[in-house]
Amino acid sequence: MGTLVGHVAPGFGFFLIGLWHLLNQIKLHAAHPRSYTSPPWFAASRLRYAELFAIMAGCCMSVAMELFVGPSRHQPLDSDWTIPSNHLHNFEHSLISASFFTYAAFAIVLDKTLTGPKTAKTRNGLTQLIGAVAFGQQLLLFRLHSTDHMGVEGQYHLLLQAVIVVSIATTLLGIAFPRSFLISFVRSVSILFQGVWLVIMGFMLWTPSLLPKRCFLNLEEGHDVVRCHSDEALHRAKSLVNIGFSWFLILITAFSVGLYLALVKIYGDTAEYQSLTKTAGLDEEEEEEEDGGESDDVESQKKIKFGETKSFIHVGNSKNFAALDIER
């Protein structure tokens, strides 16, 4: 980070993961509204761990860029093997990438180790917890960043931290409420928003023609920082950042809800239906365990009086029907 590419590249990664989750969450909920349970990640059709492998590959590239490719000597340490001041932010950024690499790696390990329906809740919960730790690490390092974030760049990072807080909160809530579509929906949108905002930061902070009036790029400690000629120019620049964030918040909200409406129209027709001819045995017990003791199928929960079965028609048993006078 600290450059245009350093923000745009990871931002594009967050955007793709957020969009991937958003599409799959909506599709899953539209097709299975009654049995919907949000997974922490989504398996691809051809390569099951494609999402997790992509996260791991992106994190490895990020660490390599921060610690070995970016520094002029292609290693971040000083001659006495200490960390120089101008490379502190490189280590901080690489730790964020390492946290998400840990999440993806353990997601694969947990999926291979904890198999079977009885361990699904524990597996998904632990994966969500590690994801929340990764977001927490991201928030902590951005909050306590060694780089001076008091100016325009600081305003961008402050608003980014607000989005990260939403990602942390919804990830933790997803552990307790895995069947809540709204929690999963907001989490996916927040990840997508992180990506969009990082891309915007990259272009707006390191493209001279896009800088606010009376602001300029100044080389400090090995990387360019936005500075303004006066306090008035700085306050104006921060206000422009707030306005831009508000515009993108509206646009992403409209995009997400519009995408939901479009996908529900496409996949909603394939929504699952439960037969009312279930026997009063194993199927009802499985429903109670899955739904927390209460079935979502309202019709199947109705009690049939006088020993009637749950099927629509019980062939061959005329006692279940009142006599009908056809002529009348």
Side-chain angles (χ1 to χ4, degrees):
M1 293 186 177
T3 62
L4 187 150
V5 177
H7 283 77
V8 172
F12 189 64
F14 272 100
F15 172 80
L16 288 180
I17 294 297
L19 183 61
W20 168 257
H21 275 235
L22 188 61
L23 290 170
N24 282 280
Q25 295 285 10
I26 297 173
K27 179 180 177 181
L28 181 62
H29 183 261
H32 307 284
R34 298 183 184 275
S35 61
Y36 169 84
T37 299
S38 173
W41 54 274
F42 289 90
S45 57
R46 295 186 178 181
L47 182 60
R48 177 175 177 80
Y49 302 116
E51 174 190 333
L52 301 175
F53 286 151
I55 293 174
M56 295 170 68
C59 291
C60 288
M61 292 175 60
S62 176
V63 172
M65 289 294 297
E66 291 288 348
L67 300 183
F68 304 105
V69 178
S72 57
R73 289 179 297 181
H74 300 296
Q75 60 92 8
L77 300 177
D78 214 337
S79 57
D80 59 353
W81 296 98
T82 59
I83 302 175
S85 298
N86 63 327
H87 283 165
L88 288 171
H89 67 281
N90 296 103
F91 279 90
E92 292 166 347
H93 297 158
S94 64
L95 283 172
I96 295 175
S97 299
S99 299
F100 285 105
F101 180 93
T102 303
Y103 155 76
F106 270 104
I108 296 175
V109 172
L110 289 170
D111 186 68
K112 288 182 173 292
T113 304
L114 301 179
T115 59
K118 293 183 178 180
T119 59
K121 186 175 182 180
T122 302
R123 179 181 66 245
N124 292 341
L126 286 174
T127 305
Q128 293 274 64
L129 179 61
I130 300 173
V133 171
F135 285 126
Q137 179 87 298
Q138 182 189 20
L139 176 65
L140 179 68
L141 291 173
F142 277 140
R143 184 66 180 173
L144 305 178
H145 210 294
S146 60
T147 305
D148 180 14
H149 280 172
M150 299 302 294
V152 180
E153 186 177 352
Q155 192 68 14
Y156 276 101
H157 279 83
L158 180 63
L159 296 172
L160 176 63
Q161 291 168 36
V163 183
I164 298 173
V165 168
V166 176
S167 298
I168 297 173
T170 50
T171 303
L172 291 174
L173 286 172
I175 300 175
F177 306 101
R179 302 195 63 186
S180 173
F181 169 71
L182 289 180
I183 291 176
S184 304
F185 181 84
V186 174
R187 181 176 70 245
S188 302
V189 173
S190 69
I191 296 173
L192 184 147
F193 198 176
Q194 280 194 55
V196 171
W197 194 240
L198 282 169
V199 172
I200 296 301
M201 287 175 61
F203 283 105
M204 299 301 292
L205 289 174
W206 286 280
T207 304
S209 60
L210 297 178
L211 293 178
K213 290 181 180 180
R214 304 190 66 190
C215 294
F216 60 95
L217 287 174
N218 188 44
L219 185 62
E220 299 178 10
E221 296 183 348
H223 65 281
D224 291 323
V225 178
V226 178
R227 296 301 181 194
C228 298
H229 290 288
S230 64
D231 290 340
E232 181 182 357
L234 177 60
H235 293 156
R236 178 181 180 276
K238 287 184 175 181
S239 297
L240 290 175
V241 174
N242 297 337
I243 292 172
F245 182 86
S246 299
W247 272 113
F248 277 102
L249 178 60
I250 295 171
L251 290 174
I252 290 177
T253 301
F255 168 77
S256 302
V257 176
L259 184 65
Y260 170 80
L261 294 174
L263 293 181
V264 164
K265 187 175 181 180
I266 296 173
Y267 296 103
D269 294 338
T270 62
E272 63 183 358
Y273 294 94
Q274 296 181 359
S275 173
L276 300 183
T277 59
K278 293 179 180 178
T279 58
L282 181 61
D283 290 338
E284 289 184 347
E285 294 178 359
E286 290 177 351
E287 278 190 346
E288 289 178 357
E289 291 178 359
E290 182 180 354
D291 301 341
E294 183 176 347
S295 172
D296 287 332
D297 192 341
V298 178
E299 294 294 333
S300 66
Q301 295 180 61
K302 293 180 178 179
K303 302 297 182 180
I304 309 299
K305 297 180 180 180
F306 307 112
E308 294 181 1
T309 62
K310 295 182 180 180
S311 59
F312 289 118
I313 300 176
H314 189 73
V315 180
N317 189 354
S318 60
K319 294 180 179 179
N320 292 331
F321 299 94
L324 297 177
D325 190 346
I326 299 177
E327 294 182 357
R328 294 181 184 177

